[in-house]
Every structure is written in structure tokens, then in C-alpha cells.
Amino acid sequence: MLSSLKKNPILKWLSSIKITVVCLILLFILTFWGTVAQVTQGLYQAQEIFFNSWYFLAFDFLPFPGAQLVLWVLFFNLCAVSITRFVYKWSHIGILIIHLGLITYFVSAFVTLHFVEESNVTLLEGETSNVSAAYHDWEISVWEQGQSPLRDISAYDVKFLQTEQLLDFNHLGFSLRVKSYFPNAQAYTGSVEEGSRPLNVSGITQITRLDISSEPEKNFPAVLLEMTSGKQTSDVILFGKEGRPTPVEINGKSMYFQIRRKRYELPITITLNKFEMEKHPGTEIASKYRSFIEFKHGDIERKAEIYMNHPLRFKNYTFYQASYSIDQMGRMRSTLAVVKNFGRLLPYISSLLTFAGLAIHFLLMAFKRKK
Amino acid sequence: MKYVLLLTILILTASCEQSVELRRYTELAQMPEAPTQPMANPHGNMLPQVDSSMQTDDPVMQKMLEASVAEVDLSWRTPKVWDEQRGSGMRLATFISRDADPIQCTIVSLSGNSGGLQANVTRWIRQIGVTLESKDALSEFLKKQQTLQSDGDLQVQLIDLTEFKTDQQSMLAAIVETPDKTIFVKMTGSLKAVEANRTPFKELCASLKIKTE
């Protein structure tokens, strides 16, 4: 079968060394260009344009392949080469393992790009949380007012939200229609016609679109929704800068609506018992800080310390000490970066395979020369 | 031709719109959420329940701030050697002394007990760069602090941090607890400046009065 595949014209074309060289040159250009572009466009924007995209318009008119496209082509090129050119003999085992390591790098990059979840959790001393918040993504979340310390949240991501989109909350007895959505907005209070005031906890009556900032943390979305439940219809405005949810009475139940940073449910409940910070002598600059936490998962209860280069790992989650802050009341908050990545070991496996392949290949060559 | 078609399909598939799907999860009920983008700068002005990137001249923001602030009709007499700047939101007033090495003094009013005496004193001690060895040390320190009765019959708990001789800023503070709010008076500056303005600080605290209708 392998010999017939070797003759396949598509595979032969795909395995061309010219494709490999062109892709490597393009990767070099993208890496350099994307790194420099971070200065003017910001890290996130540069990453999206140069590394996460399939293509972009260079100088606003010239289509240029993005790193995702180049890496896919390089991956297929490598797979094709492994079918058409590789010699599967014990004497070439080193080369084969090296290339297996390279393929694993590609798999690792794919897993990281598509499945990694990065978020953060910020806690006051004594506070507990079982969710983390996204850095840039937002959600419209709804929950029912209740006495239980645990609340059931129903949420829709706003990333791909469009006007006239219907958000189904039938299990709660209503639906929402998006009348307008702005990824970055400004909100205003003010008088409106009697009977047309939208529901909003801060008294917002109007939202306007703002240009999207290249720094995504500066974008605050707003949405005007039409809530329908049977014959009851109300307009609801939600704005990302509001710290409080908007209460809405629906069929005798008190529901809360909020547009907020997207939440990810964690596998553990984490409590910040204590936060310690030391400063460089005579300055206000922190020299080191650490969080003393306690986490629970089912019957497992453990204490841990999280500080620089000493994260907490639990299943596919890693908790890093990211930063801290002091509010105007002087309360200290610890911020832990949370990364969920089930493929976190793949880069290590790739490196080990590549190293092993190189070692075996050079040892075999040395042995051959000696003979 | 078939390669161009293959490439086009690849790009189109990648550019397809993503659908919006309902997600459900459980969350521990918390007080209004903490800011999700805290600044690494420990002196960043972070307001409770408010995202640090908000502008204070934002009309919606102002409304939210005012909602979290305890409304209190507090009056005071500005010390003659200080200049007063009217505050907004949770900060009722700011005072600056006229010295070459000035102090800054603020009056802040917040709903509820705002953490209580120990928690507030602990963070003030931290703010001036001091670490107490133990809780006993904190208790010993608190026992030495004085109280005074203001003209408006308010019990004012004075907190004198000048006994901690640090190279950083020093502080004199006062806490007034009422049934539904807590008032903080806090003076900061160099150790020398704070000690030099001890008398006006006490005069200010002694003049606090809650206006009644």
C-alpha cells in the first residue's frame, strides 16, 4: 500500500521540498513581523492577526498567509514526506523519531490553539470561588434569585452575537432577542418617553457604539435585548462596566441579567486563606508575593501555596500566581491565572522525541564511522 | 486546479461563523464581582465593585459609585492650617497641609462595617510597609490606641501608626462606626509631617458631626 501511495501525484506534489522551504521562510517573516507589530498593535491584536489567522491583508490590500495556514501546509507537507520519501529501516530510526517529534509539535500547537482556556480568578482573603473569568471574552448570563449559595447560571457567549439573534432561555420561561449589540460601547442615562424606559440597574437608557480598541481589555460591550415571556415583553440594556446585575421580574420570579466576563467552571472550589506580599526595602515595589489557598474537589481537601515558579496543578488545570492589587479600602486581592490545557505535556513529549531521535541518529552515525 | 480548490475549502471552513450555544454551570454566589483586570501597581486606584479601567467622569460610572457609597450628612470643621478640596463619590473630602512637606487627609464613608477594626488596621499597617509578628502584636497595638468623643457625640477610634518608625509613609487614622456605615479619616505623609499635623488631625476628628434634620 505504501508503494502505491508513494506514486500518488497529490502526495508527491505535497512532499515537495520547495513547499517546506517556502513555509519556513514565511514562518520566519511572520515571527519577525508579528513580534515587531506587538509594539504598535498590542500583544493580543498582533497574535490574532499574524499567528492565529489564516490570512490577513498586509498594508491593507495584499493578502498574506497567516501562521495558521502556513503551519497546516507545513504539517501536510511533513505527512506527505513521511509517506513518499522516508526510508523505514532500523538504520534510519533516528530520522524517523525526529520527524515524529516534529509532527507532535504540530499536534501540540493545534491542541493549544483550539482547546486551551486561559482565565483568571481574583480573591480577597477569606473569599471562595469555583469559577474563573476570561480575559477578553464576555457572556450574557442569567440566573434566578435564590437562597442557595450555589446558583445555576445560563449563559450565551457574546463573541458571535448578531442583531436579531434569538437566545433561547425556554427552561427559564423566556427568550431574548438581540436588538443591538456593540462589542465596545458607551452608555448614557437620561430621560425617555413614558413606557419606553428599558430595564437596567444603573438607569442606562441609551447605548452607543465605540471603536474597538486594539487593547481588548479596554473594550466593554453593551447589548439591548427584547425579553419575551408569554405576553410580557420588556427591553433590557446590559453594559459591561456595570458591577451589578439587572433584576427582572418574569412570571413572578426574580431573575438577574448581566453581561460580564465569560466564566469557566473550575474542577475545584478554591479559597484564599492568606495573601503575603513583601516589598523591596525602601520602595513600594513588590519583591515577592504568594497565596496560601485551600482547595476542595469532592472529598479531597488540600492546602497549597502558589507563588512564582510554583503553580498549583490539578488534572488539566494549572493555577499560577499572576498578580495582586490593593483597592481603595486597602484590601488585598490575589489574582491567579488559570490555564486549562489537556495537551500541556505534548510539548515536552515532542522535545523528548526530537532529542531522542537526534541522539540515536548521531550515535548510529558515530558507530557506523567507527566500523 | 484541484489544489486551489482544496486550499479554498480549507480557508472557507475555517472562516465559517460559529454558532451561539447555551452554556449552563453552577457558581458560588458572591458579592458583586471583584474587578477582573487588577493592576499590578499596588497603588492603582481600584474602587470596590468597579473595574479599574473605568473613568470617573463617566456618567454611568458616577451613578454606580454613588450607589455603593453610604449617604451620610457628615459635617466637620476644616483645621485652619489645612486646605480642603471637596470630594465626590465615596471620598467626602480631601485636606492638604500648607507645609513644604505636606500631608494628605481624606474622609471616606462606606456602607456597613467595611471589614471591621482589625482588618482595616492590619491593611493600614501593611500599607506603611510594616509586618506584625503575630495577632498578639496586633492586639497589643490596638489596646494602646485612644478614642475620643466628637462634638456630634460620635465615638472616634484613633489609630496612631507613627510608633512604627519606617522610611516609608506614616499614618494617623480614625474610624467612626455607626449602625449602618463606617467613616474613615486617614492622614498620610512622611513620619515628620504626620507628627507635625497630629493636633489638626485630632481637631478634625473631634469636630465630626452627623447632621440631623
Side-chain angles (χ1 to χ4, degrees):
Chain A
M1 186 188 166
L2 197 61
S3 54
S4 64
L5 279 174
K6 279 186 179 182
K7 291 173 190 166
N8 184 294
I10 295 177
L11 285 175
K12 281 179 81 172
W13 176 81
L14 256 180
S15 64
S16 163
I17 197 75
K18 290 177 190 168
I19 293 179
T20 312
V21 172
V22 166
C23 284
L24 289 175
I25 291 172
L26 284 172
L27 277 180
F28 174 79
I29 293 170
L30 285 167
T31 305
F32 179 77
W33 199 355
T35 306
V36 170
Q38 283 178 32
V39 176
T40 49
Q41 294 179 26
L43 170 65
Y44 181 75
Q45 192 86 327
Q47 221 170 4
E48 287 295 304
I49 293 171
F50 292 91
F51 303 111
N52 294 349
S53 70
W54 292 87
Y55 73 97
F56 60 95
L57 292 176
F59 313 113
D60 290 334
F61 72 94
L62 182 69
F64 199 93
Q68 200 176 161
L69 175 63
V70 174
L71 286 171
W72 269 111
V73 171
L74 201 51
F75 175 70
F76 285 126
N77 175 249
L78 183 55
C79 292
V81 163
S82 66
I83 294 170
T84 59
R85 292 176 193 270
F86 280 179
V87 177
Y88 290 91
K89 287 182 182 175
W90 283 110
S91 56
H92 288 73
I93 188 74
I95 303 273
L96 295 174
I97 293 174
I98 290 168
H99 284 86
L100 180 63
L102 291 178
I103 288 177
T104 316
Y105 274 125
F106 283 106
V107 172
S108 159
F110 178 83
V111 167
T112 302
L113 179 66
H114 291 283
F115 298 105
V116 149
E117 282 174 4
E118 290 183 331
S119 55
N120 66 85
V121 58
T122 299
L123 296 167
L124 274 173
E125 279 181 344
E127 234 178 23
T128 300
S129 182
N130 72 321
V131 296
S132 59
Y135 289 105
H136 307 129
D137 294 330
W138 295 77
E139 64 177 25
I140 293 171
S141 43
V142 177
W143 64 94
E144 189 178 341
Q145 183 191 29
Q147 300 302 318
S148 166
L150 270 179
R151 46 188 186 211
D152 289 320
I153 309 286
S154 301
Y156 281 93
D157 295 353
V158 303
K159 198 170 184 177
F160 304 108
L161 215 59
Q162 290 185 347
T163 309
E164 297 304 319
Q165 187 144 21
L166 200 64
L167 305 177
D168 175 8
F169 288 92
N170 288 341
H171 61 290
L172 294 172
F174 67 92
S175 63
L176 297 174
R177 184 175 68 85
V178 179
K179 288 175 96 170
S180 42
Y181 165 66
F182 306 131
N184 191 23
Q186 184 58 282
Y188 300 90
T189 58
S191 58
V192 291
E193 280 176 24
E194 195 60 46
S196 66
R197 174 176 282 272
L199 298 172
N200 177 267
V201 68
S202 309
I204 296 170
T205 54
Q206 191 190 359
I207 49 174
T208 57
R209 184 189 295 273
L210 292 177
D211 288 339
I212 294 176
S213 168
S214 59
E215 293 168 78
E217 62 275 7
K218 290 188 177 171
N219 292 315
F220 290 88
V223 64
L224 170 62
L225 301 162
E226 182 186 73
M227 189 283 300
T228 305
S229 173
K231 289 183 182 167
Q232 178 189 357
T233 304
S234 307
D235 279 352
V236 182
I237 284 184
L238 303 176
F239 182 41
K241 285 188 179 180
E242 295 177 296
R244 294 175 297 159
T246 292
V248 180
E249 285 287 320
I250 302 175
N251 300 328
K253 286 192 239 174
S254 289
M255 308 295 300
Y256 285 114
F257 289 58
Q258 192 174 24
I259 191 167
R260 60 183 192 174
R261 304 253 181 218
K262 182 177 173 180
R263 299 296 198 260
Y264 298 103
E265 198 172 6
L266 299 173
I268 56 174
T269 301
I270 186 165
T271 304
L272 178 66
N273 286 338
K274 195 174 156 198
F275 179 75
E276 276 182 1
M277 189 260 288
E278 289 175 28
K279 296 181 193 172
H280 288 294
T283 73
E284 291 297 309
I285 301 166
S287 64
K288 51 185 170 185
Y289 41 90
R290 60 177 65 197
S291 301
F292 295 85
I293 63 114
E294 196 173 312
F295 68 91
K296 291 178 193 172
H297 172 77
D299 293 332
I300 302 171
E301 271 186 47
R302 298 252 166 85
K303 290 189 178 175
E305 284 177 37
I306 303 175
Y307 50 94
M308 191 185 289
N309 296 327
H310 194 267
L312 168 69
R313 295 187 205 277
F314 185 84
K315 294 193 174 180
N316 293 323
Y317 289 79
T318 310
F319 297 80
Y320 301 91
Q321 180 70 65
S323 67
Y324 74 97
S325 58
I326 307 174
D327 63 18
Q328 271 209 357
M329 290 172 63
R331 297 179 298 183
M332 298 193 77
R333 285 189 166 96
S334 173
T335 297
L336 305 173
V338 183
V339 180
K340 180 188 174 188
N341 182 8
F342 66 78
R344 71 184 187 286
L345 294 177
L346 283 173
Y348 299 106
I349 295 170
S350 320
S351 303
L352 275 171
L353 281 171
T354 312
F355 174 76
L358 282 166
I360 291 169
H361 179 70
F362 286 127
L363 278 171
L364 283 174
M365 283 186 65
F367 186 65
K368 257 189 202 169
R369 214 168 268 178
K370 217 176 176 182
K371 258 188 159 180
Chain B
M1 182 58 205
K2 48 190 160 185
Y3 310 133
V4 171
L5 194 64
L6 194 67
L7 208 60
T8 311
I9 292 168
L10 206 63
I11 291 172
L12 284 175
T13 316
S15 331
C16 269
E17 281 175 8
Q18 307 262 353
S19 60
V20 175
E21 288 178 0
L22 177 70
R23 288 184 304 113
R24 293 180 70 173
Y25 56 93
T26 53
E27 179 187 44
L28 272 170
Q30 303 251 20
M31 290 302 290
E33 60 189 51
T36 54
Q37 294 288 345
M39 292 155 63
N41 179 356
H43 295 292
N45 249 358
M46 289 186 66
L47 306 173
Q49 305 171 35
V50 158
D51 193 304
S52 61
S53 60
M54 283 191 242
Q55 303 298 319
T56 52
D57 58 358
D58 182 330
V60 176
M61 194 56 254
Q62 187 60 32
K63 196 168 171 108
M64 288 194 287
L65 278 173
E66 285 164 9
S68 68
V69 164
E71 286 188 17
V72 57
D73 225 351
L74 189 70
S75 71
W76 56 82
R77 277 192 309 274
T78 305
K80 287 180 185 156
V81 294
W82 288 359
D83 292 322
E84 180 183 336
Q85 296 161 359
R86 270 287 153 182
S88 65
M90 64 176 65
R91 190 177 281 203
L92 301 178
T94 304
F95 307 92
I96 312 266
S97 65
R98 295 184 204 120
D99 313 315
D101 178 18
I103 53 91
Q104 184 186 76
C105 182
T106 57
I107 303 179
V108 168
S109 175
L110 292 168
S111 298
N113 77 347
S114 301
L117 177 68
Q118 284 206 357
N120 283 296
V121 172
T122 305
R123 64 172 168 82
W124 286 335
I125 290 172
R126 269 198 213 136
Q127 276 180 349
I128 62 167
V130 171
T131 308
L132 289 179
E133 289 156 7
S134 63
K135 267 193 171 169
D136 290 339
L138 177 65
S139 304
E140 285 303 313
F141 171 75
L142 287 172
K143 276 184 199 162
K144 289 187 282 186
Q145 304 311 305
Q146 297 174 336
T147 60
L148 61 82
Q149 209 71 9
S150 76
D151 295 343
D153 220 20
L154 296 170
Q155 174 133 346
V156 182
Q157 173 69 62
L158 297 171
I159 305 293
D160 184 356
L161 297 177
T162 58
E163 73 168 64
F164 301 109
K165 311 288 180 200
T166 72
D167 297 329
Q168 299 176 35
Q169 294 221 318
S170 190
M171 190 190 299
L172 271 176
I175 301 178
V176 179
E177 287 180 346
T178 71
D180 56 349
K181 53 189 84 64
T182 309
I183 299 158
F184 298 93
V185 186
K186 202 170 96 168
M187 178 172 74
T188 52
S190 68
L191 180 60
K192 205 173 163 185
V194 167
E195 280 178 341
N197 284 274
R198 186 185 295 275
T199 304
F201 178 80
K202 279 188 173 173
E203 282 172 5
L204 175 69
C205 294
S207 71
L208 293 173
K209 205 186 277 189
I210 291 182
K211 291 180 199 167
T212 50
E213 306 263 344

